[in-house]
Amino acid sequence: MKRSREKAAAELFAVLYPRLAGWCRRLVDDDETAHEVASEAFTRLWARWTSVSEPRGFLYVTAANIVRDHWRKLERERKAMQRATVEASVLPPTEQTDPSVRLLVQALPERLRIPTLLHYYADMPIREVAMLTGRKEGTVKADLHAARELLRAHLRRSLDHIQ
């Protein structure tokens, strides 16, 4: 029994790890961190192997949560460095000068961020996103629409600020 469990896990790892690590790489913009996130997601899956009915979804949702924690840590570090090296009045807030889509997605409320990451960055269909998040398909569509509108408005403000 244990042998077949290990074989199934190894096969799943061989199939899903490269794509999961690539998805994480696009989110964190660093190969080493991406591999750490993907590896941690697999470690957490392995710990719950017998109770997880949808391993692929579990991996992506877990990785999204780990990435969110990574982004939060980076933001805390950035703020600490800014406080230590520059007075607040010298530079305008970063959110007005950096229209990076990754940063904008990071700033979305979690209700909108998770479906956005799963649908647009992990290429999951709306039906699968709905199943993984426990929401109705119509709710996921509405959340994705709301996320796009927020991103569009923020990008417009950022571009207007630059011009």
Side-chain angles (χ1 to χ4, degrees):
M1 182 71 174
K2 185 177 180 183
R3 190 79 175 135
S4 64
R5 177 180 172 222
E6 289 177 2
K7 183 179 179 192
E11 289 172 357
L12 185 73
F13 183 85
V15 170
L16 294 181
Y17 183 84
R19 187 165 181 181
L20 180 66
W23 180 68
C24 293
R25 169 67 174 88
R26 289 195 312 264
L27 295 175
V28 299
D29 202 27
D30 176 62
D31 285 334
E32 185 176 337
T33 303
H35 285 286
E36 287 174 10
V37 170
S39 296
E40 178 63 21
F42 269 96
T43 299
R44 292 181 188 183
L45 172 63
W46 180 250
R48 293 166 186 79
W49 184 254
T50 58
S51 64
V52 173
S53 61
E54 179 53 50
R56 180 175 179 259
F58 178 90
L59 287 168
Y60 277 89
V61 170
T62 300
N65 288 332
I66 295 169
V67 166
R68 180 199 62 219
D69 293 343
H70 171 74
W71 285 343
R72 286 179 178 164
K73 179 184 175 208
L74 289 179
E75 184 62 16
R76 285 190 306 269
E77 290 172 355
R78 186 194 65 75
K79 285 181 179 178
M81 286 300 292
Q82 187 177 27
R83 279 193 307 269
T85 58
V86 180
E87 291 184 19
S89 62
V90 175
L91 294 176
T94 304
E95 67 178 346
Q96 292 180 3
T97 59
D98 187 354
S100 166
V101 173
R102 184 179 66 82
L103 292 174
L104 297 177
V105 170
Q106 174 185 341
L108 287 172
E110 184 168 354
R111 174 182 69 81
L112 303 177
R113 185 177 56 248
I114 296 294
T116 299
L117 291 173
L118 294 175
H119 183 67
Y120 292 111
Y121 287 84
D123 296 325
M124 289 186 184
I126 289 174
R127 182 176 356 124
E128 191 169 354
V129 174
M131 183 186 71
L132 292 172
T133 59
R135 299 177 189 159
K136 295 181 179 179
E137 287 184 39
T139 303
V140 170
K141 289 177 183 178
D143 288 346
L144 291 172
H145 175 75
R148 285 190 308 270
E149 290 301 314
L150 281 173
L151 294 171
R152 184 177 294 120
H154 196 84
L155 282 170
R156 278 193 188 121
R157 283 194 307 273
S158 296
L159 292 173
D160 289 345
H161 179 75
I162 292 171
Q163 294 173 350

